[in-house]
């Protein structure tokens, strides 16, 4: 009986290995709006695209035998470019929403992000309630869940949506708006970049699961889901989260 159990166990392990996703070393192009450290950004010293999303995709590719080439793409046209075949997937801190799922396919979530508000240092005592009651203005990058959260806080009439994140920051510095809704995952990086000027004074607004984005019907979704499960199960994903945020 013991020999039979060992044989069955070995057979089960062999079956799991033989059915593991294998993309045959395929090179996949990955679209990313590389302006949001630590999720993804361009290292000024090397010109290389770096960040959490980059490390996650590379870790998955190591499990399912593929290679990733990241391509900087503006957020405003990133999903259209994916649909047109300019790249194979998008890794850019994308929130999984029911509306987006109608037009594109997502991997399983790999991290949960919560929105925050970046404000001028002198205004950091303004509470969320005062934002809501006083008709203060918020900005955000257009066509993002950040913009949707801003509207839920102060109303659409008090939200200025900009095509680029840098334009939203300029509006904040110029006092055209009172805050910028951002991904909470990027909060520490922005506080370092704008130290003494801007601070993340309001945190933990709505939370969204983030996923990798594919064209509708792309068979690679299943392979990436398998790879994501593998890096979750073996602790790789926790190590990457700890690398960038110092938490599990």
């Amino acid at each position: 009986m013991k020999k039979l159990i060992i044989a069955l166990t070995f057979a089960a392990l062999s079956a799991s290995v033989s059915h593991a996703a294998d993309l045959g070393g395929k090179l996949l192009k990955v679209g990313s709006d590389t302006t949001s450290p630590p999720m993804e950004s361009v290292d000024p010293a090397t010109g290389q695209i770096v960040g959490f999303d980059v490390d996650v995709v590379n870790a998955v590719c190591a499990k399912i035998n593929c290679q990733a080439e990241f391509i900087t793409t503006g957020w405003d046209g990133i999903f259209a470019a994916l649909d047109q075949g300019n790249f194979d997937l998008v890794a850019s801190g994308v929130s999984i929403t029911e509306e987006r799922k109608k037009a594109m396919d997502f991997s399983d979530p790999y991290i949960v992000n919560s929105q925050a508000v970046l404000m001028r240092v002198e205004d950091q005592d303004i509470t969320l309630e005062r934002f809501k009651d006083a008709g203060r203005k918020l900005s955000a990058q257009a066509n993002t869940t950040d913009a949707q959260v801003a509207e839920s806080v102060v109303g659409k009439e008090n939200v200025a949506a900009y095509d680029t994140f840098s334009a939203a920051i300029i509006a904040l510095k110029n006092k055209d708006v009172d805050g910028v809704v951002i991904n909470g995952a990027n909060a520490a990086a922005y506080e370092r970049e704008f130290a003494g000027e801007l601070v993340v004074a309001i945190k933990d607004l709505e939370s969204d699961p983030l996923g990798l984005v594919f064209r509708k019907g792309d068979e690679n979704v299943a392979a990436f889901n398998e790879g994501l499960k593998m890096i979750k199960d073996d602790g790789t994903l926790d190590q990457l989260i700890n690398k960038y945020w110092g938490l599990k």
Side-chain angles (χ1 to χ4, degrees):
M1 178 61 72
K2 185 176 181 180
K3 290 182 178 179
L4 177 60
I5 292 174
I6 293 173
L8 289 174
T9 301
F10 179 78
L13 289 171
S14 298
S16 66
V17 171
S18 65
H19 287 90
D22 187 339
L23 298 186
K26 183 178 180 180
L27 177 65
L28 299 176
K29 294 184 177 181
V30 186
S32 190
D33 178 15
T34 55
T35 61
S36 299
M39 299 301 289
E40 51 270 322
S41 62
V42 178
D43 184 339
T46 65
Q48 298 295 309
I49 298 173
V50 297
F52 177 70
D53 279 340
V54 178
D55 287 355
V56 167
V57 172
N58 286 334
V60 170
C61 275
K63 298 293 188 183
I64 62 176
N65 191 18
C66 61
Q67 301 176 60
E69 176 189 352
F70 274 74
I71 300 170
T72 295
T73 307
W75 178 264
D76 57 343
I78 200 166
F79 299 130
L82 172 66
D83 203 43
Q84 292 164 7
N86 292 3
F87 28 79
D88 300 289
L89 67 148
V90 168
S92 197
V94 183
S95 298
I96 302 172
T97 69
E98 292 304 314
E99 188 64 26
R100 286 175 177 164
K101 285 164 68 175
K102 295 175 184 177
M104 58 198 80
D105 282 346
F106 282 90
S107 71
D108 293 335
Y110 58 94
I111 194 172
V112 175
N113 174 66
S114 60
Q115 274 80 14
V117 181
L118 189 66
M119 299 163 60
R120 294 180 293 274
V121 168
E122 61 267 27
D123 295 332
Q124 63 182 300
D125 292 331
I126 298 176
T127 64
L128 186 62
E129 288 68 28
R130 286 176 62 190
F131 258 102
K132 293 177 179 179
D133 296 339
R136 294 180 181 273
K137 292 186 178 296
L138 287 172
S139 65
Q141 190 169 11
N143 302 313
T144 63
T145 52
D146 296 341
Q148 294 173 5
V149 169
E151 290 181 10
S152 72
V153 173
V154 296
K156 189 172 184 178
E157 67 279 6
N158 290 316
V159 173
Y162 295 90
D163 289 338
T164 64
F165 178 74
S166 59
I169 292 295
I170 291 171
L172 178 60
K173 288 185 174 182
N174 290 342
K175 299 188 176 181
D176 296 326
V177 298
D178 301 294
V180 180
V181 178
I182 62 170
N183 284 341
N186 303 330
Y190 292 145
E191 285 190 326
R192 286 193 300 270
E193 182 176 353
F194 303 108
E197 296 181 87
L198 306 179
V199 63
V200 179
I202 298 174
K203 300 179 180 180
D204 299 326
L205 298 177
E206 293 184 22
S207 297
D208 296 317
L210 306 185
L212 305 173
V213 190
F214 299 80
R215 285 184 291 277
K216 271 291 184 184
D218 192 331
E219 295 180 354
N220 285 338
V221 175
F224 269 79
N225 282 342
E226 184 173 337
L228 283 171
K229 184 178 186 303
M230 293 169 75
I231 68 170
K232 290 174 184 176
D233 290 347
D234 71 6
T236 299
L237 185 59
D238 280 341
Q239 291 172 12
L240 292 177
I241 292 171
N242 189 62
K243 171 184 175 180
Y244 286 96
W245 293 286
L247 50 86
K248 292 186 177 181

